[in-house]
């Protein structure tokens, strides 16, 4: 049985009217309020409105006639949504700066090109435009600049440079990306093409984590453990859409860092686990790929005849147990030398060049000889020729675990330049993989 009757629904619709400058009935409600700046009485204007293709909001504006202090903010008039929302807008023209934006106080705002982020709950909710968001961010950074210039002039100088970058974005000197991530689902970025699709705007909805539910106040701290217990029973499709984050230490400076892990399905192959670790302290970055399945019954040998530079764009999965060979260059790289990688063929060859030429400790110092350095430099030039498509060579990926892959650009039809062979592993290969002493039955 519904607790709200039809008359009440009509009443709610009448109270929350669509935002329009031509509606004479849209008059704000004025309430006498205490000024938190001078503690005299000021006035707050409340306007209950509805944003087209979005929802109802409350806009409040406070002004004080005594000290001229003012403040504006918005609050959602609806409930917290079932899912969080993430808006990704590619600002391609100056007109995009005029898009209306509802930013709830629980939303995080990012500009990846500037590596800039406004964390959640550091600003009040606002109804503004893209240009207004940038102006507000620049003004917030400018507030403490006089103090910084007196105490830490180096920091103040860097912040001045960053403020200039924000102002250049506000004047639209180049394209950029704006990301608004709100776990409450109550933020909004205008689609001027509505109800048609906006090519510049991507909207994605996601399931909140237990920590986000606690931040929003809709779940107690003790409920987090219950959710962790329920996670393993989630559907595998949900797991594919999630990026799991684990706390760890940086392998370079041992500072606290985080590792992101995601399950990815490679077409015409299998699932793999991609892991990436970023350290904010020293800037060290690593990425690694693990097979999402078991060791195959047969090993795999993949041979590709390079006939065109377009082959460099083929997707490639190299597991830790895979070796790489180029017979024409008399080159062979053993397993685990580069670790697991999910990249392109060009990316693999560049990593090989960096490992052999650029990052080789035997090319410098007391252990270096002129002949050895010249040979390695010549090898690097040959790798560059292979990447440019100027050399006719074969790339061989030999993985006894059967967990490596090279894209067939003709799939599902056979690739005339690609050969995939399955073979029985030798005793030595099984020993290297730890399979000879593995016991799965009859143990206690």
């Amino acid at each position: 049985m519904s607790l709200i009757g039809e008359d009440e629904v009509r009443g709610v619709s009448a109270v929350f009217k669509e935002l329009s400058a031509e509606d004479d009935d849209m008059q704000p409600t004025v309430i006498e309020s205490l000024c938190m700046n001078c503690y005299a009485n000021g006035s707050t204007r409340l306007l209950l409105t509805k944003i087209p293709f979005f929802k109802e909001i409350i806009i409040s504006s406070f002004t004080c006639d005594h000290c001229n202090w003012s403040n504006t903010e918005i609050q959602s008039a609806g409930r917290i949504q079932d899912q969080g929302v993430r808006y990704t807008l590619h600002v391609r023209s100056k007109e995009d700066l005029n898009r209306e934006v509802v930013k709830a106080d629980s939303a995080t705002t990012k500009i990846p090109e500037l590596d800039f982020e406004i964390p959640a709950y550091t600003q009040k909710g606002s109804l503004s435009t893209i240009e207004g968001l940038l102006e507000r961010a620049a003004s917030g950074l400018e507030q403490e600049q006089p103090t910084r210039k007196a105490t830490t002039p180096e920091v103040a100088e860097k912040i001045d440079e960053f403020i200039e970058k924000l102002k250049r974005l506000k004047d639209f000197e180049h394209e950029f990306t704006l990301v608004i991530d709100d776990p409450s689902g109550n933020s909004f970025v205008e689609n001027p093409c509505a109800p048609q699709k906006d090519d510049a705007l991507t909207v994605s909805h996601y399931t909140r984590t237990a920590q986000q539910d606690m931040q929003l106040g809709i779940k107690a701290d003790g409920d987090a453990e219950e959710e962790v217990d329920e996670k393993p029973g989630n559907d595998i499709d949900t797991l594919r859409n999630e990026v799991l984050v684990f706390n760890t230490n940086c392998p370079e400076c041992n500072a606290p860092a985080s590792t992101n892990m995601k399950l990815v399905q490679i077409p015409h192959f299998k699932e793999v686990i991609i892991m990436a670790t970023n350290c904010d302290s020293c800037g060290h970055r690593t990425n690694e790929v693990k097979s999402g399945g078991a060791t195959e019954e047969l090993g795999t040998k993949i041979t590709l005849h390079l006939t065109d530079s377009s082959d460099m764009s083929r997707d490639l999965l190299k597991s830790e147990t895979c070796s790489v060979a180029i017979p024409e260059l008399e080159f062979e790289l053993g397993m685990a030398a580069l670790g697991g990688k999910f990249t392109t063929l060009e990316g693999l060859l560049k990593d090989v060049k960096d490992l052999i030429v650029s990052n080789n400790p035997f090319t410098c110092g007391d252990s270096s000889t002129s002949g050895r350095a010249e040979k390695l430099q010549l090898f690097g030039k040959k790798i560059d020729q292979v990447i440019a498509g100027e050399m006719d060579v074969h790339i061989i990926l030999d993985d006894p675990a059967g967990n490596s892959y090279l894209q067939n650009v003709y799939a599902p039809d056979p690739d005339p330049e690609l050969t995939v062979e399955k073979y029985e592993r030798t005793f030595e290969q099984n020993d290297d993989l730890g399979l000879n002493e593995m016991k799965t039955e009859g143990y206690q």
Side-chain angles (χ1 to χ4, degrees), residues 295-301 399-403 421-425 433:
T295 300
E296 297 293 324
E297 294 183 1
L298 299 174
T300 302
K301 184 177 182 180
D399 186 1
N403 287 326
E421 305 173 36
K422 298 290 185 179
Y423 63 86
E424 292 281 350
R425 284 186 292 269
L433 296 175

Side-chain angles (χ1 to χ4, degrees), residues 118-416:
I118 303 175
Y121 304 106
T122 57
Q123 290 183 347
K124 291 288 186 180
S126 62
L127 170 62
S128 180
T129 61
I130 303 295
E131 182 179 1
L133 279 181
L134 297 175
E135 179 66 32
R136 187 180 184 188
S139 299
L141 291 173
E142 287 175 340
Q143 283 182 353
E144 301 296 329
Q145 279 299 82
T147 305
R148 293 191 191 101
K149 289 178 180 178
T151 56
T152 54
E154 301 86 2
V155 175
E157 184 179 352
K158 292 182 180 179
I159 292 179
D160 279 336
E161 294 176 0
F162 191 83
I163 291 173
E164 286 301 317
K165 292 180 181 179
L166 285 177
K167 290 182 177 179
R168 286 198 290 269
L169 290 187
K170 187 171 71 73
D171 296 333
F172 191 71
E173 292 189 4
H174 58 82
E175 297 183 2
F176 64 95
T177 306
L178 178 74
V179 180
I180 296 181
D181 190 337
D182 183 10
S184 74
N186 287 327
S187 292
F188 169 76
V189 176
E190 178 190 5
N191 173 8
C193 308
Q196 282 78 33
K197 182 181 178 181
D198 187 348
D199 293 334
L201 182 65
T202 302
V203 184
S204 58
H205 297 270
Y206 60 88
T207 302
R208 284 185 294 269
T209 64
Q211 183 180 3
Q212 289 172 327
D213 282 338
M214 287 187 288
Q215 289 175 342
L216 294 172
I218 58 178
K219 184 169 290 189
D221 292 352
D223 296 337
E225 297 180 0
E226 297 178 7
E227 180 159 324
V228 171
D229 293 338
E230 295 172 0
K231 277 272 185 182
N234 287 351
D235 189 79
I236 189 66
D237 292 331
T238 303
L239 185 60
R240 289 192 186 101
N241 296 327
E242 287 190 46
V243 177
L244 303 179
V245 182
F246 302 95
N247 294 326
T248 183
N249 289 341
C250 174
E252 290 292 324
C253 67
N254 204 36
S258 60
T259 296
N260 298 329
M261 185 181 80
K262 192 175 191 305
L263 190 65
V264 177
Q265 174 68 47
I266 298 180
H268 308 289
F269 188 53
K270 60 169 66 176
E271 288 181 331
V272 297
I273 300 171
I274 299 179
M275 295 181 290
T277 302
N278 298 329
C279 179
D280 295 332
S281 298
C282 67
H284 179 72
R285 295 185 177 185
T286 62
N287 61 77
E288 192 175 356
V289 176
K290 299 285 188 182
S291 172
T295 300
E296 297 293 324
E297 294 183 1
L298 299 174
T300 302
K301 184 177 182 180
I302 304 172
T303 304
L304 174 66
H305 182 201
L306 293 180
T307 57
D308 191 84
S309 59
S310 61
D311 288 329
M312 293 296 108
S313 61
R314 291 179 184 244
D315 288 333
L316 178 145
L317 171 67
K318 176 194 171 301
S319 75
E320 290 182 324
T321 57
C322 179
S323 61
V324 181
I326 306 176
E328 290 80 1
L329 301 184
E330 298 182 353
F331 169 75
E332 183 173 350
L333 185 71
M335 63 172 65
L338 286 174
K341 286 186 175 294
F342 182 40
T343 179
T344 60
L345 189 55
E346 180 180 1
L348 177 68
L349 292 176
K350 286 184 176 179
D351 288 340
V352 168
K353 179 184 174 182
D354 290 341
L355 178 68
I356 302 300
V357 181
S358 303
N359 300 328
N360 193 333
F362 297 104
T363 60
C364 58
D366 296 338
S367 60
S368 175
T369 62
S370 59
R372 178 184 298 167
E374 289 176 2
K375 288 181 180 179
L376 292 178
Q377 291 296 330
L378 179 61
F379 176 81
K381 291 180 181 179
K382 290 181 178 179
I383 290 291
D384 290 335
Q385 291 176 343
V386 172
I387 294 175
E390 299 173 358
M391 289 190 67
D392 189 358
V393 299
H394 292 77
I395 303 291
I396 301 176
L397 304 177
D398 191 347
D399 186 1
N403 287 326
S404 293
Y405 160 83
L406 185 60
Q407 181 185 11
N408 173 5
V409 294
Y410 297 92
D413 298 324
D415 189 331

Side-chain angles (χ1 to χ4, degrees), residues 37-55:
N37 187 47
C38 68
Y39 300 103
N41 282 339
S43 59
T44 298
R45 289 173 172 80
L46 298 175
L47 181 63
L48 283 65
T49 184
K50 180 180 180 181
I51 296 180
F53 305 103
F54 187 48
K55 62 175 63 176

